[in-house]
């Protein structure tokens, strides 16, 4: 009777699985499951665990399951509790860092760590690096703390200790020395940063054969989620844990590998097939999320990638509506189109939360946020902050606030030591005391010599210099000068997400241009009031029905009834930086694949002929990804009118397609073929600037893109 009950439970577990899913769940031994978007990956993984336990192939304590987020680990344990009558609390299910921490705590002596070692988060680690540099009297302008931190983490994530790092010049050799000193400091203090957890756990198993054999025997089944996102070191750690008699079951999708900047190595999937001697992956290709028109577009785009294992998604849900493609004259008009379509969808009965707007770079959200805010549509920025609430923007606005009103103590305190200039807590306490005693603002106290601190004196000199420099300048130029002279750009240059933050700072100039055009004023105080009004207090609450805004990276794992993919221009999506990197274009195409497959029923693709960049109009080509989608899947929509900001910046009129800015102001249309006497034949890729400063960008097959001052370009049409 008991055997019949167990057999019935197993049948219940497998009921409802499609043939591909069932083959994956019941695969004997090791397997690589190539799970397409919306194909039921999580269900397969949890059902596999439940099936192994229910069939007596392993006990709950005899398996190890790795996820990439704590949320995914909790979801897996919750699903397992519903599938199995067991207590899941003691199971080894968690993230790489969480499981490595557990391993190191259990074997702290063998790992050379104190039992109660502390874990440093990113800020704690940066503080530790700063203490080290100060103790060693290191020039922090040459060896910027964040750069030293990034160097240490990059090498740890590559599995390299200081002794293993090759240095070919004095600067690199000093970085290696600082890495070694940092490691020694952490060892003395009994602390470990995040990157250290994985590296030390790998080293522990690599050198301790008895311990390695113990865990290889214990974990008869190792299961890995999102395998396409594993780094080289993470895969090496998994291989140490896998014994001769154990099985490794990895689930992932090489077409959704989009985290190379975090160290993800999509090549691990092919390497796993070779290492385990597997003939081919098990493919999950039936999609339960999207209509077939959307899937056909995703399949067509990703098919242009050469280095992939290969699969095509399909569905029985029907074709649905065509994909809507919208070509706007400028980014402001693009944002207004999104708003108009969102309002129509709302009238048709859709909730705001059914709609998502995706973009490649965070800075793109500014124009979309402004359009939604102006229309009174609730929205929420997923996985990030609204434009005017981002830290780097608030820093820039604080500098601007001081120019408009030097008595603003809040603005003063925000940036007096940002970027760092040696104005510490004691100096500020003394300054505050002097201000209180004299009944004056902090700025007045600083100007009156309330402290002899050199950094404070330099700050006063900086602000006074900025005030003199921007006197009489238009609003946008004022913003640009402050962003450039404040030191914010240099500060963020060496941060891991610095490129994103710098793009946001540059976008602030565009925000000033748009504000000046729409309000017909160059007043700095009015712009600061506008920024405050559009800041976070108007963002929708977590429980409120709202349009979702996010980068494509942040959209991974989510799905929506309707998706707008915006900014589909060459140089933006695909991003220009990716075009010079190994596998860069292929990763950008995988990003596009992820973006397309977020949509269930309706998909919009938009791009602009003109986009403001650093306060100048930039004329771009449509993204190659648009051309890779079969024309039969797409319905093209017509443009409306340009935004006031672009009309003023470019001098363009009502925006009829036949007389766009490229045709009126410049001798060659974008996309036309031209010849240069030195570089040969090329394609016109874009323009920027105006009048005598106007430049033309030409893409040459052999040497890439070249910019020429238009007046001296000496180009002829083919």
């Amino acid at each position: 009777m008991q055997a019949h009950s167990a057999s019935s439970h197993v049948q219940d577990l497998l009921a409802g699985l499609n043939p591909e899913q069932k083959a994956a769940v019941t695969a004997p031994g090791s397997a690589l499951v190539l799970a397409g978007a919306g194909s039921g990956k999580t269900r397969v993984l949890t059902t596999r665990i439940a099936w192994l336990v229910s069939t007596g192939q392993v006990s709950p304590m005899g398996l190890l399951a790795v996820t990439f987020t704590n949320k995914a680990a909790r979801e897996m344990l919750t699903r397992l509790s519903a599938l199995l009558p067991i207590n899941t609390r003691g199971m080894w299910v968690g993230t790489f860092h969480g499981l490595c921490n557990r391993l190191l705590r259990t074997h702290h002596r063998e790992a050379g760590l104190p039992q109660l070692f502390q874990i440093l988060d990113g800020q704690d680690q940066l503080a530790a690096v700063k203490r080290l540099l100060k103790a060693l009297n290191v020039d922090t302008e040459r060896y910027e703390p964040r750069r030293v931190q990034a160097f240490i983490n990059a090498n740890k994530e590559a599995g390299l200790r200081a002794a293993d790092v090759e240095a070919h010049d004095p600067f690199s050799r000093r970085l290696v020395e600082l890495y070694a000193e940092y490691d020694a400091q952490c060892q003395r203090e009994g602390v470990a940063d995040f990157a250290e957890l994985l590296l030390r756990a790998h080293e522990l198993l690599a050198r301790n054969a008895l311990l390695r054999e113990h865990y290889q025997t214990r974990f008869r089944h190792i299961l890995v989620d999102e395998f396409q996102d594993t780094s080289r070191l993470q895969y090496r750690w998994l291989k140490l844990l896998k014994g001769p008699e154990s099985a490794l079951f990895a689930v992932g999708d090489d077409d959704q590998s989009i985290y190379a900047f975090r160290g993800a190595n999509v090549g691990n999937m092919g390497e796993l097939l070779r290492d385990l001697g597997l003939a081919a992956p098990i493919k999950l290709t039936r999609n339960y999320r999207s209509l077939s028109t959307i899937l056909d577009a995703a399949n067509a785009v990703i098919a242009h990638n050469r280095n992939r294992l290969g699969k095509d998604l399909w569905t029985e849900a029907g074709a649905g509506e065509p994909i809507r493609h919208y070509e706007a004259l400028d980014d402001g008009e693009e944002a207004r189109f999104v708003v108009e379509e969102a309002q129509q969808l709302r009238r048709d009965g859709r909730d705001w939360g059914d709609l998502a707007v995706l973009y490649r770079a965070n800075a793109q959200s500014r124009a979309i946020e402004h359009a939604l805010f102006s229309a009174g549509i609730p929205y929420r920025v997923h996985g990030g902050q609204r434009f005017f609430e981002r830290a780097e923007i608030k820093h820039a606005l604080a500098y601007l606030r001081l120019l408009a009103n030097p008595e603003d103590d809040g603005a003063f305190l925000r940036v007096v030591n940002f970027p760092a200039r040696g104005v510490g807590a004691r100096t500020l306490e003394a300054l505050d005391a002097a201000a209180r005693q004299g009944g004056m603002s902090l700025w007045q106290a600083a100007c009156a010599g309330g402290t002899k601190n050199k950094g404070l004196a330099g700050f006063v000199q900086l602000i006074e210099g900025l005030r003199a420099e921007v006197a009489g300048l238009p609003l946008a130029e004022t913003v640009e000068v402050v962003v450039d002279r404040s030191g914010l750009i240099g500060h963020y240059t060496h941060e891991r997400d610095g490129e994103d933050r710098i793009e946001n700072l540059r976008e602030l100039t565009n925000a000033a241009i748009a504000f000046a055009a729409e309000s017909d004023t160059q007043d700095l105080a009015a712009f600061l009031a506008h920024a405050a009004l559009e800041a976070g207090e108007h963002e929708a609450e977590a429980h409120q029905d709202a349009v979702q805004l996010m980068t494509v990276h942040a959209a991974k794992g989510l799905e929506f009834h309707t998706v707008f993919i915006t900014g589909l221009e060459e140089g933006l999506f695909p991003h220009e930086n990716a075009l010079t990197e190994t596998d860069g274009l292929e990763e950008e195409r995988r990003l596009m694949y992820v973006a397309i497959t977020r949509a269930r029923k309706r998909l919009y693709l938009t791009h602009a002929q003109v986009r403001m960049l650093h306060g100048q109009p930039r004329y771009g080509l449509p993204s190659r990804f648009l051309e890779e989608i079969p024309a039969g899947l797409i319905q093209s929509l017509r443009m409306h009118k340009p935004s006031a900001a672009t009309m003023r910046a470019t001098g363009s009129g009502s925006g009829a397609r036949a007389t766009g800015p490229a045709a009126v102001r410049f001798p060659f249309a974008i996309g036309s073929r031209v010849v240069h006497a030195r570089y040969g034949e090329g394609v016109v890729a874009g323009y920027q600037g105006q009048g005598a400063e106007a430049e033309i960008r030409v893409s040459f097959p052999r040497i890439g893109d070249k910019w020429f001052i238009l007046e001296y370009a000496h180009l002829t049409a083919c």
Side-chain angles (χ1 to χ4, degrees):
M1 188 73 177
Q2 206 167 15
H4 174 74
S5 176
S7 175
S8 175
H9 178 63
V10 170
Q11 293 303 315
D12 289 342
L13 284 175
L14 302 180
L17 297 178
N18 67 39
E20 297 170 324
Q21 293 172 331
K22 186 174 181 180
V25 167
T26 60
S30 296
L32 173 63
V33 179
L34 199 59
S39 63
K41 167 183 68 70
T42 304
R43 181 183 184 186
V44 164
L45 198 58
T46 52
T47 306
R48 167 78 172 183
I49 295 173
W51 179 76
L52 289 169
V53 173
S54 298
T55 55
Q57 297 182 59
V58 69
S59 73
M61 298 302 109
L63 58 82
L64 178 141
V66 190
T67 67
F68 267 82
T69 65
N70 289 315
K71 179 182 177 182
R74 289 193 298 270
E75 181 182 352
M76 183 179 291
L77 290 170
T78 299
R79 291 198 185 196
L80 286 173
S81 296
L83 293 174
L84 292 169
I86 61 171
N87 184 349
T88 61
R89 288 192 62 178
M91 294 179 67
W92 282 64
V93 176
T95 64
F96 278 100
H97 289 107
L99 294 173
C100 287
N101 175 53
R102 184 171 177 178
L103 182 69
L104 293 173
R105 300 247 178 229
T106 305
H107 305 284
H108 63 91
R109 289 190 185 87
E110 294 89 339
L113 289 167
Q115 184 174 7
L116 300 177
F117 70 87
Q118 297 298 305
I119 299 174
L120 302 178
D121 63 18
Q123 288 302 313
D124 293 335
Q125 185 191 26
L126 180 60
V129 169
K130 288 179 178 178
R131 280 193 293 108
L132 175 74
L133 298 180
K134 185 175 182 180
L136 297 176
N137 198 27
V138 173
D139 179 1
T140 54
E141 288 192 7
R142 179 167 170 76
Y143 294 93
E144 205 274 332
R146 291 181 185 275
R147 183 170 185 178
V148 175
Q149 179 187 29
F151 177 83
I152 291 169
N153 288 339
N155 282 291
K156 285 190 178 188
E157 288 163 4
L160 300 174
R161 289 292 182 193
D164 305 318
V165 180
E166 293 185 9
H168 303 289
D169 56 75
F171 183 80
S172 299
R173 283 194 288 274
R174 185 56 171 151
L175 282 174
V176 171
E177 291 170 2
L178 293 173
Y179 178 12
E181 293 282 359
Y182 168 81
D183 261 358
Q185 174 180 289
C186 289
Q187 191 64 36
R188 286 195 306 271
E189 297 176 0
V191 297
D193 54 57
F194 277 138
E196 180 71 17
L197 294 176
L198 182 61
L199 178 55
R200 193 167 293 223
H202 176 269
E203 291 171 340
L204 173 64
L205 293 178
R207 70 170 179 263
N208 193 319
L210 286 176
L211 203 61
R212 182 171 67 250
E213 290 168 8
H214 164 75
Y215 281 104
Q216 287 178 347
T217 303
R218 173 175 179 171
F219 296 131
R220 305 303 300 271
H221 287 271
I222 299 170
L223 303 100
V224 190
D225 192 12
E226 304 286 7
F227 187 71
Q228 77 280 350
D229 294 332
T230 53
S231 68
R232 294 182 189 277
L233 184 59
Q234 287 166 341
Y235 183 42
R236 284 164 54 194
W237 183 71
L238 290 170
K239 287 196 288 186
L240 285 175
L241 281 171
K242 185 198 173 302
E245 305 301 321
S246 58
L248 177 57
F249 184 88
V251 181
D253 183 2
D254 59 336
D255 291 335
Q256 295 189 76
S257 181
I258 59 174
Y259 296 115
F261 66 95
R262 294 182 187 170
N265 177 35
V266 67
N268 286 348
M269 301 191 79
E271 189 174 335
L272 182 141
L273 288 174
R274 295 188 293 272
D275 289 344
L276 300 183
L278 300 174
I282 299 170
K283 298 181 181 181
L284 305 184
T285 56
R286 181 175 178 180
N287 178 281
Y288 292 92
R289 174 188 301 159
S290 306
L291 295 170
S292 65
T293 296
I294 294 169
L295 297 181
D296 290 346
N299 290 334
V301 169
I302 202 65
H304 287 77
N305 274 5
R306 292 171 296 175
N307 302 317
R308 58 191 292 259
L309 297 176
K311 67 181 183 313
D312 280 335
L313 298 177
W314 62 279
T315 182
E316 293 182 347
E321 305 170 350
I323 296 167
R324 292 162 170 83
H325 168 225
Y326 188 77
E327 180 183 21
L329 180 61
D330 61 47
D331 46 354
E333 204 280 325
E334 177 187 49
R336 290 199 305 279
F337 168 76
V338 171
V339 165
E340 290 170 6
E341 290 298 306
Q343 290 170 326
Q344 183 59 54
L345 286 163
R346 178 72 167 180
R347 289 191 288 270
D348 291 342
R350 299 251 56 99
D351 292 335
W352 294 125
D354 290 336
L355 318 180
V357 185
L358 309 186
Y359 35 82
R360 175 64 180 85
N362 266 310
Q364 290 173 251
S365 78
R366 201 266 320 158
I368 299 164
E369 286 186 52
H370 177 62
L372 290 168
F373 173 81
S374 300
I377 297 176
Y379 71 91
R380 184 164 56 252
V381 179
H382 180 90
Q385 293 176 305
R386 292 160 56 101
F387 181 78
F388 284 110
E389 282 293 299
R390 293 167 190 164
E392 61 277 14
I393 297 302
K394 296 190 84 167
H395 289 319
L397 291 174
Y399 277 102
L400 291 165
R401 282 164 54 192
L402 277 180
L403 297 189
N405 175 22
E407 316 305 315
D408 187 336
D409 283 355
F412 182 95
L413 288 171
R414 185 175 189 93
V415 294
V416 65
N417 197 43
F418 194 94
R421 50 179 61 90
V423 183
R426 290 185 180 179
T427 298
L428 291 176
E429 287 172 9
L431 187 67
D432 183 62
R436 289 177 184 278
Q437 185 175 358
M440 62 184 82
S441 68
L442 293 174
W443 172 257
Q444 289 174 324
C447 292
T451 172
K452 302 301 182 183
N453 182 274
K454 290 182 179 179
L456 187 61
F459 178 68
V460 169
Q461 187 177 2
L462 170 66
I463 298 301
E464 289 180 339
L466 284 173
R467 185 174 291 113
E469 188 171 354
V470 303
L473 289 181
L475 176 61
E477 291 184 38
T478 295
V479 172
E480 191 168 17
V481 166
V482 168
V483 166
D484 285 337
R485 304 283 195 274
S486 61
L488 293 173
I489 298 292
H491 171 80
Y492 288 117
T493 298
H494 302 301
E495 286 203 353
R496 178 171 244 177
D497 60 349
E499 183 181 324
D500 228 18
R501 293 183 184 273
I502 290 170
E503 284 189 16
N504 286 333
L505 288 169
R506 296 301 188 194
E507 182 63 23
L508 190 60
T509 301
N510 297 341
I513 290 172
F515 170 78
E518 292 172 9
S519 60
D520 198 26
T521 178
Q522 299 289 334
D523 184 59
L524 175 58
F527 174 65
L528 293 170
H530 159 78
L533 286 172
E534 286 206 15
E537 64 186 72
H538 297 286
E539 184 169 22
E541 299 293 334
H543 63 275
Q544 187 180 349
D545 183 30
V547 175
Q548 305 294 305
L549 272 59
M550 66 197 75
T551 64
V552 181
H553 280 102
K556 177 83 162 32
L558 304 177
E559 59 182 76
F560 302 92
H561 175 277
T562 298
V563 169
F564 296 84
I565 306 176
T566 60
L568 283 166
E569 297 133 40
E570 286 292 300
L572 186 56
F573 196 5
H575 198 280
E576 58 189 354
N577 291 351
L579 302 181
T580 60
E581 298 171 358
T582 303
D583 192 45
L585 179 58
E586 296 222 339
E587 176 138 337
E588 289 292 298
R589 193 172 278 112
R590 294 194 290 267
L591 262 177
M592 183 63 178
Y593 176 85
V594 167
I596 292 171
T597 54
R598 299 311 95 195
R600 294 199 301 267
K601 304 293 184 183
R602 181 178 287 197
L603 177 63
Y604 291 87
L605 308 175
T606 69
H607 71 97
Q609 290 184 8
V610 184
R611 191 170 297 274
M612 299 302 290
L613 183 70
H614 305 171
Q616 293 289 333
R618 172 172 171 171
Y619 303 85
L621 286 170
S623 170
R624 69 191 70 194
F625 301 150
L626 289 169
E627 298 175 1
E628 293 171 358
I629 298 174
L633 302 177
I634 292 180
Q635 174 189 355
S636 293
L637 305 176
R638 305 295 293 179
M639 70 167 66
H640 295 238
K641 294 180 180 179
S643 70
T646 300
M647 286 173 66
R648 181 163 299 191
T650 65
S652 56
S654 61
R657 189 179 297 262
T659 57
V664 172
R665 297 177 56 83
F666 300 105
F668 307 106
I670 293 175
S672 60
R673 307 194 72 81
V674 293
V675 174
H676 186 273
R678 179 176 178 184
Y679 301 115
E681 189 175 315
V683 176
V684 176
Y687 293 95
Q688 70 178 16
Q690 304 172 62
E693 297 180 356
E695 294 180 298
I696 183 172
R697 178 163 60 102
V698 181
S699 181
F700 296 98
R702 291 183 291 111
I703 61 171
D705 287 4
K706 285 281 187 182
W707 283 99
F708 303 95
I709 296 175
L710 187 56
E711 186 178 353
Y712 307 107
H714 302 303
L715 298 167
T716 55
C718 286

